[in-house]
Amino acid sequence: MHSYGDWTYIMRLFGKQRRAAKILLFLIDCVVGAAYAGFVVSFPALVVHLIQQPILPGLSTVLVILAIALVGYGLNILDTHLQDGLTQFTFDFRFDYIPVFSGLIFNWRQADIDSVQGKAVIDQAYEAIYNGGNDGIGAVVDNTLQAVRTSIQVITVALVLGYFNPWLILIVAAINLVEYALQRIANAWFAKHKQEENQIASYQSYFTRMLMKRSSGKDIRLFNLFPLLHQHFTVLADGIVAWQQRYTRVTTLVGGLQVAVNALGILGTLLFLIQSQTVSIENIIVFITAMQVLNARFTTIRQALSEVGRNLSYAANFRSFLGYAQPLEPTPNLPAIDQIQSVRLQDVSFAVGSATLLYHVSLALAAGQSLAIVGENGAGKTTLIKLICGLYPPTAGNITINGQPRTAWSTASLRDRIAVEFQDDILLHFTIAENIALVVPEKIDYDRVDRMLQEVGMLDFVQHLSHGVRTMIGNELDPDGISLSGGQKEELLFARVLYKDADLNILDEPTAALDPLAEKQFYALASAKLKDKMVIFISHRLGSLTVQSQIMVMKDGRIIGLGSHAELLASCAYYRQLWEAQKTLYAAGDQNEEN
Ligand SMILES: Nc1ncnc2c1ncn2[C@@H]1O[C@H](COP(=O)(O)OP(=O)(O)OP(=O)(O)O)[C@@H](O)[C@H]1O
């Protein structure tokens, strides 16, 4: 259920930026809107009065009426412009919150981002912000302003009307209060059942994204995924439609009752007028116009309030998003690390829910040392490096950096000193240089970008592109953007690692897409370029790692061997088995080629 707290929270949020301009514009709009409402009510009566009892000669009376009409018309135009200005503020408000929104998510713990609950909370907060003035927190703001502005107009009209007959105000107010009470029934239903819709909508948005994403097109076609995706999508879409139909039944019933109350009310008012004492023609005209204006304004207020109520469900979602996850660094002002000189894991274990993924892992690494990690699929290699990078905190044991607990250093400074190449790293649809430097174009050191491209063997290829390092990758933002092969992508990601010049370099399957020659060159280059740093390599191709002085063997989340290639062959049966299996494969390949 929505609350007053959600509403004040959203209005304070809206007022945070450019407050003075917003308040001034709103106040002017209220005054102009009230003046226009007063004009609408009094103008017809004024015309009748001027015609019946002219103060000026014929033509002048017509000119005066025209001049007053023009003033009213001007007020109307001004009011519309002022309202547009305020709507623009609400529109901008969304964009003000995009950086806040993403900034918060990226300061969450990785486990919160990965969880089903976290994903649903993000989806709902996204829905609350991005709908603009139609739905969500933008609609709360727009409709609140609308309700206040219209209330001031109602007061103005009521003052004019009250001057003639105060009872009429009470009748109109009573009709509209009953209609508002009915509207609240529909709102209460919406608030009560929004949670059910949230869940279905969150699942459905995954399938919508899958079906709409260009990059899914290839798989959808080649594996004929459409029936599968479509079936899931249809089940969820049916769920949403069924929910919507239930909601429509409620709103239709409430709408019908409101019309009945309104009709009876107007009928009653007419009877009241007929029963009342004789009044002048001007007074009757003022009554009738004021009735119409008040009815219309009360309807606006009622609808605006009902929209505020309905959309406060989104506000509640947005607030639970803000409070959902603990930020990564709850203690501000942690010391920044200048250089990572050593990393140590002591008896580290890690579990997600009831599944333990790592058991009692200990290792130590210092500047100038490298470590190769091997093991079958699902052994826990990537999970281990995610812990080392700080994406997940260990559930038991300690990680220390330069002899201090990892959590004693500021997260941002640690991130600055670590470079990682993951298997699923993304290339942005920006220029090649931006993808390597990962900073805004003005801050890119282009000579350094060229040197890194030269190191990884891509400079020649890049220089022959139409825009060199300024060529876009992918064609999301530029029709001339290029696509890279799997191997080129890996080379570029390695150039990104080298450009960063970090102390701890982690390369997860960096050569999976490279041909054997390129793979050999990669390891020679990496060993030379990163020889003073800390490096962790993960690879399934044991042949490329035999020269590494420390190889760590993992199986089922545990370390089962540590040593050089020769030591492991002698001491670790599992490593021997992996090595023999690969040797046999290569030998079989060689034989096939010879045949
Ligand atoms: N967030 C998570 N929640 C639950 N299980 C997870 C999570 N991340 C990884 N796992 C599981 O942990 C195990 C280890 O995964 P990990 O990616 O670390 O393996 P890996 O050794 O890197 O495998 P590969 O060589 O295939 O890349 C797998 O069984 C995986 O399903």
Side-chain angles (χ1 to χ4, degrees), residues 279-424:
V279 283
S280 69
I281 183 92
E282 290 102 312
N283 287 2
I284 289 189
I285 290 172
V286 169
F287 288 158
I288 293 170
T289 1
M291 276 291 292
Q292 283 173 337
V293 172
L294 278 182
N295 240 330
R297 295 296 192 272
F298 271 120
T299 306
T300 306
I301 295 174
R302 215 178 49 238
Q303 282 169 351
L305 289 181
S306 107
E307 280 300 292
V308 169
R310 189 176 71 80
N311 284 290
L312 278 177
S313 311
Y314 292 93
N317 284 344
F318 187 69
R319 287 185 87 192
S320 54
F321 156 76
L322 294 179
Y324 175 70
Q326 289 290 317
L328 269 183
E329 205 165 278
T331 332
N333 308 324
L334 289 175
I337 196 159
D338 295 331
Q339 193 188 11
I340 301 182
Q341 284 152 347
S342 67
V343 175
R344 194 179 178 85
L345 274 71
Q346 286 168 301
D347 206 18
V348 164
S349 297
F350 177 65
V352 176
S354 58
T356 302
L357 309 185
L358 292 175
Y359 297 87
H360 310 290
V361 173
S362 294
L363 64 89
L365 206 61
Q369 291 181 340
S370 67
L371 173 72
I373 308 180
V374 299
E376 64 192 6
N377 297 126
K381 306 179 294 294
T382 303
T383 307
L384 174 62
I385 60 173
K386 283 184 176 166
L387 260 78
I388 296 175
C389 296
L391 288 177
Y392 298 125
T395 24
N398 301 309
I399 300 182
T400 51
I401 292 188
N402 293 4
Q404 298 293 322
R406 189 179 206 295
T407 46
W409 299 107
S410 100
T411 308
S413 71
L414 284 172
R415 282 186 192 150
D416 275 352
R417 304 309 315 144
I418 301 177
V420 197
E421 183 180 335
F422 279 117
Q423 295 169 44
D424 55 357

Side-chain angles (χ1 to χ4, degrees), residues 68-113:
I68 298 172
L70 267 178
V71 171
Y73 184 62
L75 284 173
N76 188 12
I77 291 180
L78 187 59
D79 189 32
T80 312
H81 274 289
L82 291 167
Q83 285 191 36
D84 284 350
L86 280 166
T87 311
Q88 185 65 41
F89 272 133
T90 331
F91 190 74
D92 295 349
F93 172 59
R94 264 195 305 173
F95 293 99
D96 292 338
Y97 273 85
I98 290 171
V100 178
F101 181 76
S102 52
L104 282 169
I105 295 173
F106 294 116
N107 206 25
W108 282 12
R109 294 175 201 287
Q110 193 63 34
D112 289 328
I113 296 179

